[in-house]
Amino acid sequence: METRRLGRLEHRSSVLVYGAASLAEVDQDTADASVAEALAAGINHVDVAAAYGEAELRLGAMMDQLRPQVFLATKTGLRDEEEAWAQINRSLERLRTDHVDLLQLHEVGKLADLDRVTAQHGSLRAAVRAREEGLVRAIGITGHTHEAPATHLEALRRFPFDTVLTPLNRTLSRVPGYAEDYAALVEAVRADDVGLMTIKAVARRPWPDGERRYATWYEPLDEQPLVTAAVSWVLDDHPEVTGIATAGETRLLRQAVLAERQRHDLAAGEAEATLDRLGATDYSTPFVGADA
């Protein structure tokens, strides 16, 4: 699997980042098999969060074997300094490790969220303390919503985050103003040598009422040609992206791995054309209502 440099952290990260949200509600055997599948495919970067159900515990059970093989990232979604500090330490206990490579401030997708985490006693101070004490090597920021790229640009103005994890897919790029906000973020991460990762590469749309076939909170693309096109559109049309998080569903991992291999066979413009043939009702932003 292709690897790309994760900004100034210098880690050569696999272009597929294992999205451990997929382990939130599975048993240990399923978790073991899924992570083994990821490692066998060449994935060397695992992304989890305190909020992902049992995922940290599932990874913790295999940590002795897993830790030497991967770049390990977790997240805190709490906003208060002391609460976040406690959660960071709890994550380390659940993961059965004395440090993680990356701690990310989770779901900072709007300026109001950013104001809270960067406040005098916000969770950013807990992250900095954790880095000073050797519990984390680096600090990143993540976010959902249409405002995430603009919010993350402002975040970089306030603090030298090592990484950014922001949404990107073909349909999001057509939301008014989104492409411009994302382009401005790209300019900033390049200037400061920040690692840029993305989420929602294979998001298709919000789930139709009464339909939910996977553990993901959005309906994913699950036909292989479409998954391959979606992965290619992000990785091949956006070389600034160091990696994309796989969907939060163990049954979709194989398709992502195959897509990463197949994308090299696509002609220039083929991925975008394939995705653009989907109708507006069949391919739309997953962010709706308050999440937009």
Side-chain angles (χ1 to χ4, degrees):
M1 182 174 295
E2 181 187 355
T3 62
R4 295 181 182 178
R5 177 177 170 273
L6 189 59
R8 58 179 176 264
L9 298 182
E10 295 290 352
H11 174 68
R12 297 294 305 185
S13 181
S14 54
V15 291
L16 294 185
V17 174
Y18 185 81
S22 60
L23 306 182
E25 298 180 358
V26 304
D27 60 28
Q28 192 62 51
D29 287 344
T30 301
D32 290 347
S34 182
V35 172
E37 181 182 359
L39 295 176
I43 294 176
N44 67 2
H45 185 143
V46 173
D47 182 88
V48 69
Y52 293 167
E54 302 298 293
E56 288 182 329
L57 294 174
R58 296 290 171 260
L59 291 172
M62 63 183 87
M63 194 54 59
D64 286 347
Q65 295 77 32
L66 181 64
R67 193 68 186 91
Q69 302 182 65
V70 300
F71 181 95
L72 181 62
T74 193
K75 312 183 189 81
T76 177
L78 299 180
R79 304 316 193 202
D80 174 78
E81 178 183 0
E82 291 305 316
E83 290 179 351
W85 174 251
Q87 187 174 69
I88 292 165
N89 282 274
R90 181 168 180 264
S91 287
L92 294 175
E93 292 175 1
R94 283 158 56 92
L95 288 165
R96 302 187 193 178
T97 186
D98 62 358
H99 76 284
V100 293
D101 298 299
L102 175 65
L103 175 74
Q104 298 159 106
L105 304 185
H106 196 194
E107 294 186 339
V108 184
K110 298 188 176 185
L111 285 177
D113 301 317
L114 182 63
D115 288 341
R116 292 180 66 191
V117 301
T118 59
Q120 183 177 2
H121 296 292
S123 55
L124 178 58
R125 288 189 55 165
V128 171
R129 177 183 173 188
R131 184 173 63 183
E132 291 173 345
E133 296 192 14
L135 304 182
V136 309
R137 285 185 51 223
I139 300 172
I141 192 166
T142 84
H144 305 70
T145 77
H146 295 158
E147 297 175 36
T151 300
H152 293 160
L153 176 60
E154 175 60 24
L156 292 177
R157 295 189 180 112
R158 298 187 188 185
F159 181 81
F161 288 97
D162 298 297
T163 67
V164 168
L165 181 65
T166 208
L168 182 67
N169 62 33
R170 174 57 179 156
T171 192
L172 282 171
S173 74
R174 292 180 290 190
V175 172
Y178 198 93
E180 293 77 9
D181 288 344
Y182 177 77
L185 176 62
V186 170
E187 184 177 351
V189 300
R190 283 176 167 163
D192 295 335
D193 202 14
V194 174
L196 176 62
M197 299 168 285
T198 65
I199 53 176
K200 305 299 176 280
V202 300
R204 184 177 206 140
R205 58 184 176 181
W207 280 111
D209 290 342
E211 183 179 343
R212 200 179 189 103
R213 302 186 307 280
Y214 301 109
T216 48
W217 61 265
Y218 54 86
E219 181 181 0
L221 298 167
D222 61 358
E223 303 96 327
Q224 190 63 56
L226 294 177
V227 176
T228 299
V231 169
S232 174
W233 186 84
V234 176
L235 290 179
D236 297 322
D237 292 6
H238 300 85
E240 71 279 357
V241 173
T242 65
I244 60 176
T246 59
E249 165 64 64
T250 58
R251 291 175 293 164
L252 296 173
L253 178 61
R254 188 164 303 175
Q255 291 181 327
V257 170
L258 184 56
E260 196 280 326
R261 296 170 183 164
Q262 290 180 339
R263 67 189 176 90
H264 303 290
D265 298 327
L266 298 183
E270 184 177 350
E272 184 169 299
T274 297
L275 295 170
D276 285 352
R277 284 194 288 270
L278 291 170
T281 59
D282 200 38
Y283 189 37
S284 60
T285 170
F287 305 126
V288 295
D291 294 330

